[in-house]
Amino acid sequence: MAALTSATSLLALLDEPDQSLQVYALENLNQLADEFWAEIADFVTRIEELYEDEHFPQSKLAALVASKVYYNLAEFDQSMHFALAAGDLFDLSVKTEYVETIVSKCIDSYIRSSQEAFDAPRKDQPEVAPDPKLVDVVERMFSRCIEEGEHKHAIGVALEARRLDTIEKCINHAFQGGLTNGKSEDRRLLSDGVNGIDDQAKKSEVAGAELIHYVFEASMALVANKRWRDEVLHRMVELVERLHNPDYFTVAKILVHLNAAEKAGQLLLDLLTENTEPSLLIAYQIAFDLVSSTSQEFLAKVVQMVEGRLSQGTAQVLKILSGVPTLDIELTFLYDNNKTDLLILNKTKDTLEARNSIFHNAVTFENAFLHAGTTADGFFRENLEWLSRAMNWSKFSATAALGVIHKGNLSQGMSLLRPYLPSDSASQAGGSKYSQGGSLYALGLVFAGHGKDVLEFLRNNIREGSNSGGQEAEVVQHGAALGVGVAGMATCDDDIYEELKNILFSDSAVAGEAAGLAMGLVMLGSGSEKALEEMLQYAHETQHEKIIRGLAVGIALLMYGKEEAADALIDQLLDEQDPTLRYGGIFTIALAYCGTGNNTAIKRLLHVAVSDVNDDVRRASVMSLGFILFRNPTAVPRMVELLSESYNPHVRYGAALALGISCAGTGLSEAIELLEPMLKDPTDFVRQGALISLAMIYIQQNEKTAPKVASVRKTFAKVISEKHEDAMAKFGAALAQGIIDAGGRNVTISLENRQTGTLNMKAIVGVAVFLQFWYWFPLTCFLSLSFTPTAIIGVRSDLKIPEFSFFCNAKPSKFDYPPKTEEQTSKVPEKVATAVLSTTARAKARAKKSEKEKAEAEAEMEIDEKEPAAATEEEPVKMEVDGAEKEHEEEPEEEEEEEYDEEVAEEEIEDKKDIKGYKIQNMSRILPAQLKYISFSRDERFTPVKKFRSSGGILVVRDNVGLRVKTPFIKTVRERNLPPEEQDEESEAPVPEPFDYETDTEL
């Protein structure tokens, strides 16, 4: 049969009165639509009439033909409409471009309508159900995916379409009966091995568990609506708990994200009740994970639930939940592995003039960051004369820096700061009021996030300052308020809030600014309506810009992690006439949507960045992009590329900091390429921002992982030593030197908890408040809250740290510490060759030539007189002398060549030694990029309780031999500082003696 060249004959049948002919025409046109759609398009109106004819027997067929015609005409909405009308005739199993396109359009339309229906109650709108025909297509697509085992595809659509039932159906199908279907929570469908659990059931359970983990990861990364995400995660917890072998660590991660303290407490109780060695070890690991990733309020609720249970392991869990073991272990790691390069710090101190307060502050903060958490305060002790030049608020910052250095040193924090703390008696008072205020701030930093032991002391100083009054009392109140805010972070303690509110109402600019900020820190993430109303009302009433700014940032802290719940407040703040409150509204967006990548929030920030009339607001808008997108750092350079070239220097500064915040610790080359031109920016504070951001990005990077890091370090030193460089740029370079080598080169800046994948609350708050150093230098110390130790530390069930090793499948040099700076020795001046005139050179050449000719003539005369044999004896002697001279002249070159060859050989030997793979001792530095190369052998004595998934931190290890078999272990700093009678071995690290300094009054 000859191939058709036209559809005219078939189209003519559409006008026939006989319906059978019309059906015949449509059946053939359906097959030929992709080839003759241009001709059929002229008759599409007639085809639509047949579809609308109620008496036509094949109206669905007419709809399908019309759909294909409109698809070829690129009218996809019309095509989808008729495809839905075709019903079952629209076959989803056919793998054609037409079917895939229409299904995609149907899914998009269904997702849109489902999301509108889900959000309708919150927006007080009537709920509109999606089109039943649309639902039918999507349901058939879901069924096909489940039958073919494409569970992840179906789950992806279901997450966006708000279909919890479909997610459950996919997981149930993956388990293949591995879940109970009923209502009894205690019933287990899978029995243990004794009762005959088969391999297929085990595989099904593993597949289902992986699918639940996938739902968790996808929900965290892709679902923007918090209410829907929480619903999904709550359901995942129920599904996991009904497994025969639940993944308790996944449950704990979900509960942390949901902020479900009661369920987390119940999970620990269930594990303790089980009272087996594996369950107790899991409980200990979960307790460590909770300490590293939750707030004080969360931990307090968990402790309250666990305290009443008397069972084996309860005391150990409570000890871990106190946070003391975690801080002791991290402090010991930083103390033992401190690799600070003091030569850099001393050179910066000698270069920057200490009489200038900004330079004194710069060196103070650099020292604080370099030694953060290491307890190494020797720089202050060795430079008391330099320290004595600190005046007023510089002295406040210098004392506060001690808190950064001793952060986490709970056992000695109070005793170390006692010489500076306020006292009831004047004889015992700690120096000037600035030192006293700074020491209270330092005390809060030492106990940051674990302040129950010092909160009462700090509150007493707040009350005493309120009673005494005066300018000096304001300074003490300022320090006490900051200390209370840091130590009581996220406790949501109403009593502390009321005391801070009393300071605020005194209308003191100095104390009020700290009080407003501290109120937000104490009520962090609570979203308290009472606190919001009071703080916003006072911000409208006061005339002090400092107080308004403190309250603006405090209000933003209240809405931390609230996402859509903060939208009403954000709208209100951005509509304010006061730019300081609009500034607070921008930080509210940053903290409420931190790490979500929310498109609405990003669009809003970009709009404000180019439209607001105030430079501070625009700068904050661009910086805030870093908070929103820190989980997707590669997207930020593309987003701020144009902003980094803005005519407004504040926008350029914001772009620099956005790169630093989002790409911290990554060494991302795209971010570096944008920051390098900013180092030559004509505006000093833009250069400052670029220097700080470079340090944040290059923290813990060496030349193997980031080749440009060496030149960047030289840039920092060059900016500091340059006499004509602006003070602000030098300040930024000094901070950069402290950040890039922070914590003895053993910490990074991480805004996400690696153990649970949730937001790192302390780090995010620390960076957000650190950015306020633009207005107030003492707030620079807050950056230390974001410093996260990078280590793998294995602990036994008795919380001791055994000595053992694990394997790293990479070259040792790849993740090694950067080399320390070599001290330059004084060079001996080289002798310079004397300049010789050309006329003199020619005269000497002529004289030498005449002497040579004369000598040759005399030699000829001697030859004639002597025998020939004598001449033959002299010639070799002369040749030997000439040859010896030549050899002597060439000897240095030969020696140099030999030395060069030796160096090359040594390098070859080093390369051979630097083989791939080596063992690392417990409690060693492990960089985030190094974690994927780490592995634990099952044959070793100590193995992690939870499956190692490149998380790092503190890992509870199972002792496969038993605790009774002795093994060497590492003592913590607290154990080393115990009195001899309370410890087994001699203490290694005595308590450092307190020191004081006197102000140089002549300055």
Side-chain angles (χ1 to χ4, degrees), residues 635-747:
V636 180
R638 298 193 302 271
M639 188 168 294
V640 302
E641 184 175 2
L642 294 177
L643 295 173
S644 66
E645 300 173 359
S646 170
Y647 72 93
N648 189 322
H650 291 266
V651 174
R652 298 199 300 272
Y653 176 90
L657 265 297
L659 291 168
I661 294 166
S662 60
C663 305
T666 62
L668 193 66
S669 58
E670 291 87 347
I672 301 301
E673 290 173 2
L674 291 180
L675 289 170
E676 284 176 335
M678 294 188 188
L679 294 174
K680 300 177 182 178
D681 196 277
T683 308
D684 53 359
F685 61 79
V686 176
R687 298 198 297 275
Q688 179 194 82
L691 290 164
I692 292 173
S693 293
L694 280 171
M696 295 173 75
I697 294 171
Y698 273 146
I699 188 171
Q700 286 199 323
Q701 301 288 327
N702 59 23
E703 291 188 55
K704 294 283 185 181
T705 57
K708 290 185 178 180
V709 69
S711 62
V712 168
R713 289 176 180 274
K714 290 178 182 178
T715 301
F716 297 159
K718 182 181 178 183
V719 171
I720 290 172
S721 60
E722 182 65 45
K723 290 183 179 180
H724 302 292
E725 184 61 81
D726 292 306
M728 292 186 73
K730 289 187 175 184
F731 180 83
L735 285 187
Q737 284 185 333
I739 294 169
I740 199 170
D741 289 332
R745 297 181 169 178
N746 292 302
V747 300

Side-chain angles (χ1 to χ4, degrees), residues 23-44:
V23 170
Y24 173 79
L26 288 174
E27 288 175 348
N28 284 274
L29 290 174
N30 183 43
Q31 302 296 326
L32 303 171
D34 291 335
E35 184 177 357
F36 298 108
W37 61 268
E39 292 183 52
I40 302 173
D42 294 334
F43 292 82
V44 71

Side-chain angles (χ1 to χ4, degrees), residues 290-598:
L290 292 179
V291 169
S292 66
S293 55
T294 58
S295 65
Q296 293 187 76
E297 183 189 23
F298 188 102
L299 291 175
K301 291 178 180 178
V302 175
V303 167
Q304 189 175 4
M305 290 190 66
V306 176
E307 275 178 337
R309 181 64 58 91
L310 296 176
S311 61
Q312 183 182 357
T314 302
Q316 202 76 305
V317 167
L318 290 174
K319 183 178 180 181
I320 297 170
L321 290 174
S322 70
V324 174
T326 297
L327 294 178
D328 284 348
I329 291 168
E330 291 180 348
L331 184 75
T332 304
F333 162 70
L334 295 174
Y335 178 86
D336 289 346
N337 296 276
N338 185 7
K339 305 291 184 185
T340 302
D341 192 347
L342 287 173
L343 190 62
I344 297 174
L345 179 60
N346 288 322
K347 188 174 181 181
T348 301
K349 176 187 72 72
D350 296 337
T351 304
L352 298 180
E353 177 56 55
R355 296 174 186 270
N356 189 331
S357 65
I358 187 174
F359 292 155
H360 198 287
N361 276 319
V363 177
T364 296
F365 295 135
E366 179 180 348
N367 173 54
F369 291 160
L370 286 173
H371 297 100
T374 64
T375 73
D377 53 15
F379 177 79
F380 283 154
R381 300 174 187 279
E382 295 166 5
N383 296 278
L384 294 177
E385 189 274 333
W386 169 85
L387 194 60
S388 66
R389 299 186 184 184
M391 302 292 292
N392 299 334
W393 288 106
S394 294
K395 186 180 293 185
F396 179 95
S397 297
T399 314
L402 286 173
V404 176
I405 295 171
H406 290 278
K407 185 168 74 76
N409 192 2
L410 305 186
S411 61
Q412 302 173 6
M414 182 68 81
S415 59
L416 286 166
L417 293 170
R418 186 166 287 115
Y420 319 106
L421 291 168
S423 177
D424 296 335
S425 60
S427 60
Q428 297 179 359
S432 71
K433 294 296 181 183
Y434 292 96
S435 294
Q436 294 178 20
S439 65
L440 292 171
Y441 181 19
L443 191 63
L445 291 169
V446 171
F447 289 81
H450 302 276
K452 60 181 181 181
D453 295 332
V454 296
L455 280 175
E456 189 59 35
F457 175 80
L458 292 168
R459 290 170 63 183
N460 288 336
N461 282 278
I462 288 177
R463 290 190 287 265
E464 290 173 6
S466 301
N467 296 332
S468 58
Q471 184 175 358
E472 291 187 344
E474 291 179 353
V475 178
V476 176
Q477 279 187 319
H478 184 90
L482 290 177
V484 163
V486 180
M489 185 187 304
T491 56
C492 299
D493 191 311
D494 290 330
D495 295 334
I496 298 177
Y497 171 80
E498 291 297 329
E499 289 171 2
L500 291 169
K501 188 171 69 173
N502 292 335
I503 297 179
L504 181 70
F505 288 169
S506 66
D507 207 40
S508 164
V510 174
E513 179 184 26
L517 179 60
M519 290 162 72
L521 289 169
V522 171
M523 306 298 288
L524 179 65
S526 66
S528 169
E529 294 184 4
K530 173 177 176 290
L532 282 173
E533 184 179 351
E534 292 175 345
M535 294 169 74
L536 198 55
Q537 181 180 354
Y538 195 78
H540 286 128
E541 294 175 356
T542 186
Q543 300 298 314
H544 294 290
E545 184 179 346
K546 287 173 70 69
I547 295 179
I548 299 173
R549 187 177 300 112
L551 287 169
V553 178
I555 289 170
L557 292 169
L558 281 172
M559 303 309 293
Y560 167 82
K562 290 300 180 183
E563 299 184 30
E564 295 91 351
D567 287 347
L569 177 65
I570 292 169
D571 293 338
Q572 182 180 354
L573 290 173
L574 292 183
D575 289 338
E576 292 281 352
Q577 290 185 348
D578 190 337
T580 308
L581 289 177
R582 295 204 303 276
Y583 177 89
I586 295 300
F587 271 97
T588 304
I589 296 176
L591 294 176
Y593 288 96
C594 187
T596 63
N598 186 280

Side-chain angles (χ1 to χ4, degrees), residues 933-948:
Y933 298 102
I934 300 297
S935 60
F936 290 83
S937 173
R938 295 180 180 178
D939 300 329
E940 295 290 339
R941 176 176 176 179
F942 298 101
T943 54
V945 173
K946 70 176 178 180
K947 186 178 179 181
F948 184 73

